[in-house]
Amino acid sequence: AQGVVPIAPYNPRNTDDPLDIDYRVEDRIDEHAEDISLKQSVLDETYEHRTQVERTNEACKDCGLGHVLARGRVHARTQVFVALCLRVIVAVTNYEQGDNPGRTKLKTL
């Protein structure tokens, strides 16, 4: 609905007439913009960053930090940093109170 196409590889298996593209966004740009072109190296680099971000999101979920809901690299990075700081504060506080530092909540007194 927002016209957003991720930098993701194109899968030609789901069609009888596959396109000659590597990423889905290439077709969208050809369809809607006449004077815009993308370098393949830029798309490859962007996809590599996307993969790193997805791995980071998965690691945050595995650590109990929840989903990163911010949009944009700077906002997401800030949200993850603040969440990690909060986890350190909780761990230190639990340790000082004699509780398990791995707990995700503070011990209520």
Side-chain angles (χ1 to χ4, degrees), residues 91-102:
V92 169
T93 303
N94 281 332
Y95 177 79
E96 287 181 350
Q97 291 178 351
D99 201 7
N100 178 5

Side-chain angles (χ1 to χ4, degrees), residues 53 56-57 60 65-84:
V53 169
T56 301
N57 286 342
C60 287
L65 296 174
H67 298 280
V68 177
L69 301 176
R71 289 183 181 238
R73 189 179 308 170
V74 173
H75 292 138
R77 189 177 288 170
T78 301
Q79 181 178 343
V80 169
F81 177 75
V82 170
L84 289 172

Side-chain angles (χ1 to χ4, degrees), residues 11-47:
N11 183 353
R13 293 177 296 182
N14 300 331
T15 182
D16 294 331
D17 187 22
L19 301 171
D20 185 27
I21 59 175
D22 292 325
Y23 296 96
R24 289 186 282 164
V25 72
E26 292 176 90
D27 182 50
R28 179 72 124 201
I29 288 173
D30 287 343
E31 185 179 318
H32 295 289
E34 296 175 12
D35 57 346
I36 296 176
S37 63
L38 293 173
K39 286 182 168 182
Q40 195 66 34
S41 62
V42 172
L43 288 172
D44 293 341
E45 184 180 338
T46 302
Y47 183 69

